[in-house]
Amino acid sequence: MNLLAVYERLQGHFKIKDCWWPHETTFEIMVGALLTQNTAWGNVEKAIKNLKTEGLLNIKSLSKINRKKLEEAIRPSGFYKQKAGYLSAFSKHLYTKYKGDLNAFFNRDTHIIRRELLLYKGVGKETADSMLLYAGNKLIFVIDAYTKRMCFRLELTELGDYDKLQLFFQDNLRNDLFLYKQFHALIVELGKNFCKSNPLCGKCPLKRKCKQQGISEKLKKRESREL
DNA sequence: ACCCAGGTGGCCC
DNA sequence: GGGCCACATGGG
């Protein structure tokens, strides 16, 4: 089955808002990308709200804020001490190297930016790519746990690491920023609503395209080994 | 009382 | 290059 067919099928079932990743500023998207690591989005929203209330959600403030205060503000998002350290260092780099100017930061070759993002502590491939796609409007497909799980269950690809999966998407989709953003959003919705770790195959929009049809203990074991 | 969430870094082999 | 673990809150 081809990727575009999956996309169209999902489009028929989920309404994705034009601005799926809620934000007032570009920086807010970058902060959200970091905070949402292995964390439910609802918890991230609380953290972001706290940061906004305290006037901290900008590069300058975050780079100067006292660590304990930052920890308290983002506490609801979990792993808060670790994330406070990441955010603090990240903001300081943006502030000192780019004078807090994200246009300057993003106005370069995509892969140069990606390499740089990956040097920051706490920014791995998925976080970097989320920032590039949603904050920087760069043509990079984001691979997350939902994406891996969906591909695995649909048997769309050979089992692969992040890079292989990303290439699979990028090679099989037209170069269209809107498509990249929407497709990732749709996969997240699928993952939240149906293709969960304990999946609800009965009403899944991809039911007819998927061989799993209810998950066996055997599949669960393979997933835990191979995802 | 569990299980899970839009990962990452560090350590070990 | 992989396998394991810590990191932590909040909702179902």
Side-chain angles (χ1 to χ4, degrees), chain A residues 35-224:
Chain A
L35 292 181
T36 199
Q37 291 170 3
N38 207 40
T39 301
W41 182 256
N43 290 358
V44 178
E45 281 184 326
K46 288 173 191 158
I48 297 226
K49 193 180 162 197
N50 290 343
L51 290 172
K52 278 187 182 170
T53 303
E54 301 185 34
L56 295 175
L57 197 45
N58 60 80
I59 296 172
K60 185 173 181 179
S61 303
L62 264 200
S63 65
K64 298 195 178 307
I65 188 63
N66 157 284
R67 182 67 138 272
K68 288 289 170 208
K69 277 195 165 176
L70 179 54
E71 288 180 4
E72 280 318 301
I74 65 168
R75 186 170 195 139
S77 71
F79 305 129
Y80 63 93
K81 291 184 182 169
Q82 212 176 46
K83 287 174 179 173
Y86 296 158
L87 272 185
S88 171
F90 182 64
S91 308
K92 276 178 186 149
H93 278 285
L94 290 178
Y95 189 62
T96 53
K97 280 177 94 169
Y98 300 94
K99 301 183 165 60
D101 179 5
L102 287 181
N103 288 321
F105 179 78
F106 279 119
N107 191 23
R108 293 178 291 157
D109 177 79
T110 303
H111 289 93
I112 301 280
I113 307 172
R114 189 174 196 264
R115 252 200 305 283
E116 183 176 329
L117 281 170
L118 289 173
L119 293 176
Y120 295 116
K121 274 235 162 74
V123 180
K125 289 174 181 171
E126 186 193 333
T127 307
D129 290 342
S130 297
M131 290 179 178
L132 285 165
L133 180 62
Y134 290 100
N137 292 310
K138 302 294 185 185
L139 203 63
I140 288 277
F141 203 88
V142 179
I143 305 297
D144 62 0
Y146 291 138
T147 312
K148 290 177 194 158
R149 197 154 69 204
M150 181 190 79
C151 290
F152 179 73
R153 290 179 177 169
L154 287 176
E155 299 175 7
L156 273 180
T157 56
E158 294 297 311
L159 234 32
D161 57 12
Y162 190 100
D163 301 316
K164 277 190 196 159
L165 217 42
Q166 185 174 51
L167 277 181
F168 171 69
F169 276 84
Q170 295 184 355
D171 286 345
N172 287 286
L173 297 174
R174 62 181 184 277
N175 295 340
D176 177 345
L177 204 50
F178 179 79
L179 171 64
Y180 275 36
K181 290 184 181 181
Q182 288 278 307
F183 201 173
H184 174 68
L186 286 165
I187 293 171
V188 171
E189 292 310 311
L190 176 76
K192 281 181 177 168
N193 294 290
F194 299 100
C195 205
K196 317 203 237 191
S197 54
N198 286 309
L200 306 171
C201 298
K203 293 184 177 174
C204 178
L206 301 179
K207 186 176 179 178
R208 271 173 297 178
K209 308 195 177 275
C210 185
K211 295 177 190 158
Q212 312 308 339
Q213 298 295 321
I215 195 162
S216 62
E217 290 303 317
K218 219 196 295 180
L219 179 66
K220 272 193 192 172
K221 282 195 187 126
R222 279 189 62 200
E223 279 187 358
S224 67

